[in-house]
Amino acid sequence: MPFCRINKITTWYHESDEGAGLPLIFVNSLGTDHRIWDDVIGGLGSKRRCVVFDKRGHGLSDVVPAPYAIADLADDLLALADHCGIERFAICGVSVGGMIALSSAMAAPGRVAGLVLCDTACRIGTVESWNARIAQIQSAGMESIADGVMERWFSAAFRHSRPHELAGWRNSLLRTPAEGYIATCVAIRDADMSAAAKCVNVPTMVIAGAEDQSTPPAIVRALADQISGARYELIAGVGHLPCIEQPDRLAMLLDDFLETLPDE
């Protein structure tokens, strides 16, 4: 099982077989781990080297003490790329993963060749909403937020027609360490990626789920409007995690976009 030590954090990661195309690093959302990308990577085939990892506080990576900032999480991503010997790459991030992708591009513009930003925004939620969620977890545990999170993550059709998958992703949320989850909530609460979005000077695709309740299409589109030349795509019938609900559609969009980028 692949682990590495980056920024004094034991980090779980996995690299697919190296292909000829530009490497692609995936970044997870809050309360999930690397498995949300499994079917997307399967849909891409073996064209390119793909890297997934569990960010600090999630999955099999270390839970380190708060505070976390988006810049810290971006630094972890760049350090992982160093560990893997990848100099130039594209990033696909969903939700907070999209924020991390933006921060990475701002910190290392010469290394990031393209961005795919799924269901994310310059600001996600409000200070009040994040503080309320944090307080609820502190008083009643992760179980107390699970059903509400499932409603925001997934479309009504998914919740009603795929109950066993819904239960599995709910289990995944509940296995996220509360300390890591809360620390990442604080990072999102305190983040404003407007400056980073305006600095982006690489090809970018911004994707929204039409039924996303966490980052509704209007605020995802507003992010796309702040990035010069960004391509905007709306996926019908999905919520916050198109990588789970419609991985084949997301893989097709990714493949189409990545084919426009130089291989190095």
Side-chain angles (χ1 to χ4, degrees):
M1 189 172 289
F3 291 93
C4 63
R5 189 78 173 166
I6 56 172
N7 296 333
K8 300 181 180 179
I9 300 166
T10 297
T11 300
W12 185 97
Y13 75 103
H14 176 72
E15 298 180 75
S16 65
D17 293 337
E18 187 167 354
L22 183 75
L24 178 61
I25 300 177
F26 291 90
V27 200
N28 311 329
S29 57
L30 173 67
T32 67
D33 64 21
H34 62 277
R35 289 171 290 189
I36 66 172
W37 303 111
D38 283 354
D39 290 340
V40 176
I41 292 172
L44 289 174
S46 58
K47 289 183 179 180
R48 65 189 70 253
R49 184 179 183 183
C50 293
V51 179
V52 294
F53 69 104
D54 290 340
K55 63 184 172 291
R56 62 171 71 185
H58 288 69
L60 296 177
S61 294
D62 278 349
V63 180
V64 296
Y68 302 175
I70 297 299
D72 298 325
L73 299 168
D75 190 47
D76 293 344
L77 184 153
L78 296 170
L80 178 62
D82 289 340
H83 173 81
C84 295
I86 300 173
E87 178 57 32
R88 192 160 169 80
F89 49 88
I91 307 173
C92 177
V94 60
S95 194
V96 66
M99 290 180 151
I100 295 165
L102 282 167
S103 183
S104 299
M106 186 167 66
R111 300 186 66 183
V112 179
L115 294 172
V116 179
L117 308 174
C118 302
D119 297 85
T120 191
C122 292
R123 291 193 65 88
I124 299 176
T126 64
V127 171
E128 293 76 18
S129 67
W130 288 114
N131 285 344
R133 190 184 304 192
I134 290 166
Q136 185 172 353
I137 295 168
Q138 289 172 331
S139 64
M142 294 289 290
E143 177 72 37
S144 68
I145 67 164
D147 290 339
V149 169
M150 294 302 105
E151 291 180 4
R152 290 189 292 273
W153 276 6
F154 299 115
S155 67
F158 180 95
R159 299 195 310 272
H160 295 147
S161 66
R162 297 161 68 176
H164 301 306
E165 291 177 63
L166 180 71
W169 293 114
R170 189 180 189 277
N171 288 343
S172 178
L173 171 69
L174 292 177
R175 285 159 175 74
T176 303
E179 183 181 357
Y181 188 94
I182 288 171
T184 309
C185 287
V186 171
I188 301 169
R189 181 196 69 189
D190 296 345
D192 184 345
M193 307 310 298
S194 300
K198 291 173 183 175
C199 288
V200 171
N201 62 356
V202 296
T204 300
M205 179 167 64
V206 180
I207 298 172
E211 297 186 33
D212 187 349
Q213 296 185 43
S214 291
T215 52
I219 67 169
V220 180
R221 182 59 190 259
L223 168 63
D225 290 344
Q226 292 196 55
I227 299 173
S228 177
R231 169 181 168 183
Y232 175 75
E233 296 283 349
L234 181 69
I235 302 180
V238 304
H240 192 56
L241 298 176
C243 47
I244 294 174
E245 287 202 58
Q246 290 192 25
D248 291 343
R249 172 65 175 158
L250 181 54
M252 185 183 71
L253 288 171
L254 270 171
D255 191 51
D256 179 63
F257 173 74
L258 292 168
E259 286 297 318
T260 69
L261 304 181
D263 287 343
E264 297 181 355

